[in-house]
Amino acid sequence: MQIVLVGFMGSGKTTIGSLLSKELNQLFIDTDETITNRINMSVNEYFTLYGQPKFRQLETTVLAELTENKGVLSTGGGIVTNEANRSILKQLPHVVYLKTAPDEFIRRLEADKTNVRPLFLSRTTDEMIALFQERESFYHEVASHIVETTNKTPEAIVLEIMKEVGVE
């Protein structure tokens, strides 16, 4: 089985993906981690050196490769901005949109000191909400399942995803 998690930054894709993969005894793969291992630098450094368009091209290559694997795949928050990525994702049976309210993802991003996100650091709260609104229709477009994460524990979200995809 393959489950792909999409959602805005701070929606919990990596946290939920890791927990879900353990619960299902499946491999966990994070697209951003795969990319950073491949390029030997952080996403932030890559953005600075090569820009967002070049990163999105690399992300498409990695997504195409990783969707050949079974397991739980956590994607970067902006992966849906690329039409090629949306085409890939729409072909998959279990794409779960982790839907998170803006005030919740802002709170999570501000609290997360270990995972620094370049797009968050360079924007105001209003700009972050606008960015989310630009992407939200894309999340809906690719999702075969939508799970609301606001005010839920990671464990509750994992159980809801399992129910959604039919593996309780």
Side-chain angles (χ1 to χ4, degrees), residues 35-148:
I35 290 169
T36 57
N37 289 339
R38 186 170 293 181
I39 61 176
N40 292 314
M41 66 179 77
S42 71
V43 171
N44 196 10
E45 290 170 313
Y46 196 87
F47 262 60
T48 301
L49 289 171
Y50 304 105
Q52 186 175 344
K54 189 80 172 165
F55 176 79
R56 295 296 173 210
Q57 290 174 354
L58 177 58
E59 191 176 51
T60 299
T61 301
V62 169
L63 177 65
E65 292 169 9
L66 294 179
T67 54
E68 299 295 320
N69 300 320
K70 292 189 184 314
V72 178
L73 178 62
S74 172
T75 62
I79 203 161
V80 296
T81 61
N82 182 308
E83 188 176 342
N85 294 343
R86 292 194 305 274
S87 293
I88 293 168
L89 290 166
K90 286 190 283 189
Q91 294 175 33
L92 304 173
H94 298 297
V95 177
V96 180
Y97 169 30
L98 297 180
K99 187 173 183 173
T100 307
D103 60 331
E104 179 73 6
F105 67 68
I106 295 292
R107 183 192 64 72
R108 291 177 187 172
L109 291 169
E110 288 173 343
D112 189 352
K113 303 302 179 203
T114 58
N115 188 6
V116 179
R117 294 159 173 95
L119 290 177
F120 178 64
L121 295 177
S122 64
R123 287 179 164 76
T124 65
T125 297
D126 287 343
E127 289 170 332
M128 287 299 294
I129 292 169
L131 182 62
F132 164 72
Q133 290 169 338
E134 288 171 21
R135 294 177 178 178
E136 189 172 23
S137 65
F138 294 143
Y139 296 128
H140 283 276
E141 179 184 334
V142 302
S144 51
H145 311 281
I146 298 172
V147 173
E148 175 63 54

